[in-house]
Amino acid sequence: MACFDLPVHKNPLRTRADVERALLQLLEPARGRFTEGNAGLKLGAHAAQYGERSARMEAFSRMLWGLAPLWASGGGEEWLPLFREGLANGADPAHPACWGRLSDYDQKVVETAAIAAALLLCGERMDFTPREAQNLHSWLAGADGLNLPQNNWLFFRVLIQTAFRHMGWAWNERQLAEDLAKLDGWYLGGGWYCDGEPSQMDYYIPFGMHYYGLICAWAMERDDPERSRVFKERAAEFAGDFLYWFEDGGRAVPFGRSQTYRFAQGAFFSALALAGVEAVPWGVMKSRVLGNLRDWLSQPIFDSGGLLTVGYGYPNLFMSEQYNAPGSPYWALKAFLCLALPEDHPFWRAEEAVPALEPLHAIPPARMLAARDETQVQLFPAGQHCVNELGRCAAKYEKLVYSSRFGFSVPRGDSLEEGAFDCCLAVSEAGQNRWRMQRGFEDFRLEKDRYWRKFSPLPGVTVEVTVTPDFPAHRREYVITTDRPIDVADGGFAIPAEDGDGRPLSPGMVEWEARGVAVRAPWGTSAIRCLSGAGEPVLVKAWPNTNLLHPLTRIPTVRLSLPPGVHRFATLVTGAVPGG
C-alpha cells in the first residue's frame, strides 16, 4: 500500500504512452532541485562514501538512464535544455560547476556510463558546440588508464570508447580491447558472467554486464558485428535462466547487494528489446519489464515529495551499502531503455504473456536452484559469497533461501532479535547470546534437486547442510561439528507482524508444537519444525526495519544447545502466501 497519493500510483503501465508518462512522473519531483549550472541535483541529506559533490553529479547523471531513451524517440523536450546545459557545464574545466577530473576508483567513473549511453542513443540531439563537445570528450577520456574495481566498472570505459567511435570522436582502441578482453575472462558459460568474483552472481549480471553488453551490441552492429553477435548470443542464453527470478506478475526476488536499485531488476529485458534479441517472446519480454514496474510503483518507495528513497520495499537506510547516496536509487531508470523503441515495435505491439516455467530449475553457473509457483519464487544459493564488506553482505548472499514474498533480513546487532536471522543458521558461544551466521564457505555441491554447503561460522565449528526444496517448503539436514559447547538457532521465513492496515498478528495465528512453531496469518504462513534433534521452538520478534520487504516481522525459529562433538538434526521450513 502506497504511503502517499502520487500521480504515478494511478498509472496502469500497459502501453508505451503509460511508460513514458511514468518516467515523466518519476522525474517531476526532481524539478527545481538542480545545483549550480544544472550540473547536479540535490535530492537529500544523507551521505555516501564519495561525498556530496559526487553524489550531486550521480543524481544528475542517473536521470539520463531514463531520459536518453526518451530523447532518442523524440520525447522529453522540456528536459533536454536543462541536461544539455548541465553536461556542458559539468565537463567545462573553466566553469564553477565543473565535476572535476576523474581519478582512480572514482564514483564519477560509474556515472560516465549514463553519459556515454546518452551519446550513443541521442548524441546528435544534444547539439553541442565544438568547444562543448571537446570538453565532454576530454572529461570522459579521463577514465583511460585509471585503476578501477575489477568488475562491471570496466564496462563503463567500454561504453565511453563505443560512444566516442559512434560520435566520430577520437577513441582509444587499445583501451577498448584491453577492457573487453578482461570482461571476456569473467564469462562462465551458459549465458552467465560473474561480476569479477566467481562466487558472486547477482543482479549485476543482468542490469550490469548484460545490460551494457546489449547497448554495445546495438551500437556495434555495423562497426564490430562479431562482438555484437557474441553479446547478443550470451544474453539470449542468459534470458532463459533469468526468467526464473520473477513471479508471473513481474515481482522479482530480492537477492544480493544494491537492492535499492529496485526496478532495474527488469532492465535486462528492456535492453534485449533495444538490441532486437528475441530470446523470449516479445510478450514475455514486455511482461517482465512492465509487470516489474507495476509491482514497484505500487509500493511505498517514495518520500512525501515523490522522490525515490534508499531502501527496498520501503525507505530504509539500514539495508543500504556505503555507496548509496540520495540519487542512487535512480539507477532504476535503466528499466526505461525500451522507450527508445517506436510505438510500432514488436515489443510494444505484443500482448503481455507469462512464460511457462518448471517448478524447480537448476542454474549451475549461478550455483543455485529456483523453485516457484504462480504466487512466489524462492532462490536457493549453494555457493555465493561477496568478498567485499559493502554493507551486511553475508545476509544478502549467504542465507539458505531467498523469497520474492518474504524478502530477507539484515542484522542490526548480534542478539537473535537484532540479528533477525531468517532463512539461515546462526551460532553463538554457549550462553552468550551473540550470534553469527555464515560468512564465506569451504565447499558446496549443487544437484538438480538439492544442494550441500560447508562453512565455519565460528573457529572450531563446522556446519554442513543439505537443503532440499519441496515448494513452498524445504528440508534442511545439518551435520555440525564443534570443539566446545555452542547454541544454534535455525530461522524460518520472516513473516509480517501486521497487515497493510496495521492490524497485528493475533495469538490465534500462532501454533506451537513440541518442536516447532507456525504463524498462519491471512497474508501468509511461516513455519519451522524440527524433524530430528531436540529443537526448542521460539518466535523471534525481529527488530524493526531489518527485513527488506516488511518493516515489522516475526521469525519462527528452533534453538538447540550442543555439547562438543558431532551432531545431526533436520528441520522442515515453510513459507507460503495465499493462493499458493
Side-chain angles (χ1 to χ4, degrees):
M1 180 178 294
C3 295
F4 311 107
D5 189 17
L6 300 172
V8 75
H9 293 144
K10 301 179 179 66
N11 192 324
L13 284 160
R14 296 289 177 182
T15 67
R16 188 188 181 285
D18 292 339
V19 175
E20 179 173 337
R21 187 167 59 256
L23 173 63
L24 296 174
Q25 288 166 335
L26 290 169
L27 292 170
E28 188 59 31
R31 195 184 295 275
R33 296 176 180 268
F34 284 88
T35 58
E36 183 179 15
N38 290 328
L41 284 164
K42 172 71 171 175
L43 300 184
H46 75 267
Q49 63 180 356
Y50 38 83
E52 179 64 17
R53 288 178 63 86
S54 290
R56 294 180 183 187
M57 187 268 172
E58 173 192 72
F60 167 89
S61 67
R62 293 198 174 187
M63 301 295 178
L64 295 173
W65 286 119
L67 281 167
L70 185 58
W71 291 334
S73 60
E77 292 288 340
E78 67 275 25
W79 290 97
L80 186 56
L82 290 169
F83 279 86
R84 184 207 170 282
E85 180 185 355
L87 288 167
N89 291 337
D92 184 353
H95 197 281
C98 179
W99 298 317
R101 293 178 60 184
L102 298 173
S103 58
D104 293 344
Y105 306 105
D106 191 339
Q107 175 65 27
K108 295 190 295 294
V109 175
V110 179
E111 310 316 319
T112 64
I115 297 171
L119 292 174
L120 285 167
L121 289 164
C122 57
E124 66 284 351
R125 292 203 65 194
M126 301 293 185
D127 196 26
F128 292 121
T129 68
R131 179 175 175 274
E132 289 168 341
Q134 180 57 50
N135 284 339
L136 188 57
H137 177 268
S138 296
W139 186 80
L140 290 168
D144 286 8
L146 293 180
N147 293 312
L148 301 180
Q150 294 299 289
N151 55 22
N152 70 94
W153 279 51
L154 299 190
F155 251 122
F156 307 150
R157 282 198 299 231
V158 170
L159 285 166
I160 289 170
Q161 299 305 328
T162 305
F164 286 173
R165 191 176 188 181
H166 173 81
M167 295 292 290
W169 298 351
W171 60 289
N172 187 333
E173 187 173 4
R174 179 192 56 79
Q175 182 72 76
L176 178 62
E178 287 179 0
D179 288 335
L180 285 172
K182 193 64 176 286
L183 289 162
D184 273 344
W186 296 325
Y187 183 65
L188 305 174
W192 283 83
Y193 293 87
C194 68
D195 188 26
E197 291 291 340
S199 62
Q200 193 173 336
M201 277 71 72
D202 53 23
Y203 281 100
Y204 277 88
I205 312 311
F207 68 42
M209 307 292 269
H210 279 300
Y211 186 88
Y212 304 134
L214 285 164
I215 292 176
C216 289
W218 168 79
M220 291 176 171
E221 281 179 333
R222 184 172 55 188
D223 295 329
D224 192 346
E226 177 60 21
R227 174 62 58 180
S228 176
R229 180 190 64 79
V230 168
F231 281 143
K232 290 179 180 182
E233 288 182 353
R234 290 175 179 177
E237 194 169 5
F238 173 81
D241 282 337
F242 189 47
L243 286 174
Y244 280 88
W245 291 30
F246 292 80
E247 294 179 8
D248 288 351
R251 176 173 288 202
V253 181
F255 171 74
R257 65 189 179 99
S258 296
Q259 293 303 299
T260 198
Y261 299 157
R262 296 185 175 107
F263 41 94
Q265 291 166 333
F268 166 77
F269 296 103
S270 247
L272 276 182
L274 175 76
V277 182
E278 195 179 357
V280 298
W282 291 112
V284 170
M285 215 179 296
K286 184 178 180 181
S287 75
R288 298 309 84 180
V289 178
L290 272 62
N292 190 250
L293 281 171
R294 281 193 295 270
D295 179 68
W296 274 116
L297 297 183
S298 68
Q299 295 190 49
I301 59 177
F302 304 94
D303 67 14
S304 59
L307 291 172
L308 286 171
T309 58
V310 172
Y312 190 71
Y314 56 94
N316 185 354
L317 277 175
F318 202 80
M319 52 72 64
S320 67
E321 287 86 24
Q322 58 194 23
Y323 51 83
N324 293 163
S328 297
Y330 286 89
W331 186 276
L333 299 186
K334 285 182 167 186
F336 288 92
L337 187 58
C338 54
L339 286 176
L341 304 172
E343 184 78 46
D344 62 354
H345 190 278
F347 177 87
W348 294 115
R349 293 204 316 267
E351 293 292 326
E352 290 186 48
V354 174
L357 301 175
E358 302 167 349
L360 183 63
H361 178 69
I363 313 176
R367 305 177 176 185
M368 66 173 59
L369 301 169
R372 68 184 316 280
D373 68 5
E374 64 275 10
T375 65
Q376 182 190 180
V377 176
Q378 295 176 1
L379 296 181
F380 294 84
Q384 291 268 2
H385 173 62
C386 179
V387 298
N388 299 312
E389 186 46 70
L390 302 168
R392 300 169 183 83
C393 277
K396 298 172 182 179
Y397 290 90
E398 301 184 48
K399 296 201 172 182
L400 302 175
V401 58
Y402 293 82
S403 162
S404 60
R405 289 290 161 170
F406 294 92
F408 66 88
S409 304
V410 293
R412 296 188 63 176
D414 53 15
S415 71
L416 278 187
E417 294 76 16
E418 294 170 300
F421 297 103
D422 59 339
C423 295
C424 68
L425 185 82
V427 179
S428 170
E429 301 285 355
Q432 290 192 12
N433 195 31
R434 298 181 63 183
W435 301 84
R436 293 180 60 180
M437 64 165 287
Q438 173 183 348
R439 177 160 174 77
F441 62 89
E442 297 179 16
D443 200 1
F444 76 94
R445 183 171 60 250
L446 181 74
E447 300 178 19
K448 65 179 181 180
D449 62 349
R450 68 194 64 195
Y451 74 76
W452 168 88
R453 66 166 92 156
K454 180 180 180 181
F455 59 95
S456 178
L458 291 173
V461 179
T462 300
V463 176
E464 298 178 58
V465 58
T466 299
V467 178
T468 306
D470 186 15
F471 193 87
H474 62 276
R475 180 186 176 100
R476 306 173 184 174
E477 299 171 86
Y478 290 100
V479 179
I480 299 178
T481 304
T482 177
D483 61 6
R484 61 196 182 282
I486 57 172
D487 296 327
V488 301
D490 197 23
F493 292 94
I495 189 166
E498 56 187 18
D499 68 11
D501 292 321
R503 289 185 288 265
L505 289 168
S506 67
M509 298 177 188
V510 181
E511 300 176 3
W512 295 93
E513 302 178 13
R515 296 191 299 176
V517 58
V519 177
R520 305 187 191 278
W523 50 89
T525 296
S526 176
I528 187 167
R529 179 161 54 92
C530 212
L531 299 175
S532 63
E536 173 196 359
V538 294
L539 186 59
V540 175
K541 183 179 181 180
W543 273 37
N545 308 316
T546 47
N547 187 269
L548 267 66
L549 280 173
H550 311 294
L552 288 176
T553 61
R554 303 291 182 265
I555 304 173
T557 301
V558 293
R559 289 187 57 172
L560 300 91
S561 295
L562 304 179
V566 178
H567 306 274
R568 300 176 184 271
F569 70 96
T571 55
L572 183 69
V573 179
T574 301
V577 293

